[in-house]
Structure formats: structure tokens, C-alpha cells
């Protein structure tokens, strides 16, 4: 279940601010057809309601194999040219859960705040959130850089960690991790990402907010 590589380094982006997103669902059983993958469809639906900027998505469904996970991350960033790569699955303590190790093996700098915030959000729901080992990191090559984030394996937990927690009136009471993603992409030279604030409001310092032309 993978899409074809479109163009090396995304030279054919339809718009200068088109963000290219890579999704990797990691599961031995889903990749072998034992059950249907839920991670990629859930993320596709989430981005459909969240992003206002033009976007393009590449997806991969692979087993829990460390080298294959690393190779897939490298392919999506170095060859396809993704600005953001999200993985789902393989971040627990079992011996087959090797997504964090595979991510760090092909990264240049770790971004620990993302993992810390995801665990804080998930701890509001389950005490076993302390067993999760999600990491985030940058991969920087000569003419491109991308942000990689390991997400939880369950679609509900993915949505909670991306959006954060809200009260009954829809007011944010704990920010989700995606609020910081657009500015991070700015800082590493990627496209300017705008979001639907009803889902998640992208935070930027005032000096970094693009002024709308009248």
C-alpha cells in the first residue's frame, strides 16, 4: 500500500507553499493483510479538515523492521522531498517496537519537546502513556530539511496528540503538538503552512506571521 514516487526533491510542486507530507504506518499484521490499516486513513482525514494550505501526501504501509523504517524515512525525505514525515505505530516497549530507534538512526537533530508533550496529553487518559517512546527529530541534507514525528498507534490517540485537549466549549486547555509544526517547518526552510483554527491554531511569533495581502 504505497503511492508512487512523483518527482525527486518535489521540483513539480503545484504551488510554492504546497507542503508535502509523508505518512508511514508501521505494523507487521496490517502490512501482511491480517487486518486493515487505520492509521493512514485517519491521518488523511485529519489533514483534510486541518490544512488550509495546498498539500500533497505520500503514504507507506510497512512491517516493524528497523532498517526498512529507516529506509522509508530517507526515501520520503531525500527522494520524494517531504517536508513533514509522520509515523504511526511501533513506539511501545515490545521487542518489535523499533520506530524510535529507526527514526533517530537517520536523523541529524532530536526535537524532544514533541515526545514530551504527546506523553503529557496521553497521560490525561491512560497511565500506560508513560510506556510510549515517541520521538521527533530533523533530517537535514544538503538542500532540504524535514521534521519527523512518531505518533501513537491508535487513531484516537493520534487525534488527541495532534489537536490537544479542549473543554466543552471548544477552548484549548492543553496545546497539541501540531500547533508548533508550521513554525518549525518555517525555521527549517519549508513552506508556509496555514491551518483551520477551529481544529488547531498554528502558533507563530508575531514577526513570523505572514501578512495577508489586501
Amino acid at each position: 500500500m504505497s503511492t508512487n514516487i512523483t518527482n525527486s526533491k518535489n521540483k513539480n510542486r503545484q504551488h510554492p507553499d504546497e507542503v508535502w507530507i509523508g505518512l508511514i504506518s508501521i505494523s507487521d499484521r496490517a502490512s501482511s493483510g491480517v487486518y486493515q490499516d487505520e492509521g493512514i486513513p485517519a491521518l488523511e482525514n485529519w489533514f483534510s479538515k486541518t490544512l488550509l494550505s495546498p498539500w500533497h501526501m505520500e503514504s507507506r504501509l510497512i512491517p516493524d523492521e528497523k532498517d526498512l523504517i529507516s529506509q522509508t524515512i530517507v526515501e520520503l525525505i531525500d527522494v520524494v522531498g517531504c517536508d513533514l514525515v509522520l509515523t504511526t505505530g511501533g513506539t511501545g516497549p515490545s521487542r518489535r517496537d523499533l520506530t524510535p530507534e529507526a527514526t533517530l538512526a537517520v536523523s541529524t537533530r532530536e526535537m524532544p519537546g514533541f515526545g514530551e508533550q504527546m506523553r503529557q496529553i496521553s497521560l490525561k487518559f491512560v497511565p500506560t502513556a508513560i510506556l510510549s517512546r515517541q520521538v521527533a527529530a530533523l533530517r537535514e541534507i544538503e538542500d532540504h530539511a524535514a521534521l519527523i514525528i512518531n505518533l501513537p498507534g491508535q487513531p484516537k490517540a493520534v487525534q488527541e496528540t495532534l489537536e490537544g485537549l479542549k473543554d466543552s466549549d471548544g477552548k484549548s486547555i492543553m496545546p497539541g503538538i501540531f500547533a508548533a509544526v508550521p513554525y518549525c517547518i518555517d525555521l527549517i526552510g519549508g513552506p508556509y503552512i496555514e491551518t483551520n483554527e477551529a481544529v488547531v491554531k498554528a502558533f507563530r511569533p508575531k514577526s513570523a506571521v505572514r501578512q495577508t495581502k489586501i
Side-chain angles (χ1 to χ4, degrees), residues 7-107:
N7 192 292
S8 178
K9 302 287 172 33
N10 288 347
K11 293 178 181 178
N12 288 341
R13 290 181 194 240
Q14 298 299 307
H15 186 280
D17 282 330
E18 183 179 48
V19 57
W20 281 49
I21 302 168
L23 305 180
I24 308 173
S25 186
I26 300 159
S27 169
D28 287 332
R29 289 182 292 173
S31 63
S32 63
V34 174
Y35 60 75
Q36 188 171 359
D37 172 63
E38 296 181 347
I40 289 172
L43 281 166
E44 289 176 341
N45 289 335
W46 190 83
F47 279 107
S48 294
K49 68 177 183 179
T50 303
L51 295 183
L52 299 181
S53 303
W55 56 285
H56 173 83
M57 192 161 285
E58 295 276 338
S59 62
R60 305 286 186 269
L61 175 57
I62 61 174
D64 289 277
E65 300 288 349
K66 181 175 181 290
D67 290 344
L68 179 59
I69 298 168
S70 293
Q71 291 166 13
T72 305
I73 292 171
V74 169
E75 177 220 347
L76 287 172
I77 296 172
D78 296 20
V79 181
V80 178
C82 290
D83 308 291
L84 173 66
V85 173
L86 302 176
T87 71
T88 177
T91 59
S94 77
R95 294 194 179 192
R96 293 288 291 172
D97 289 337
L98 297 171
T99 302
E101 287 76 16
T103 299
L104 295 176
V106 293
S107 300

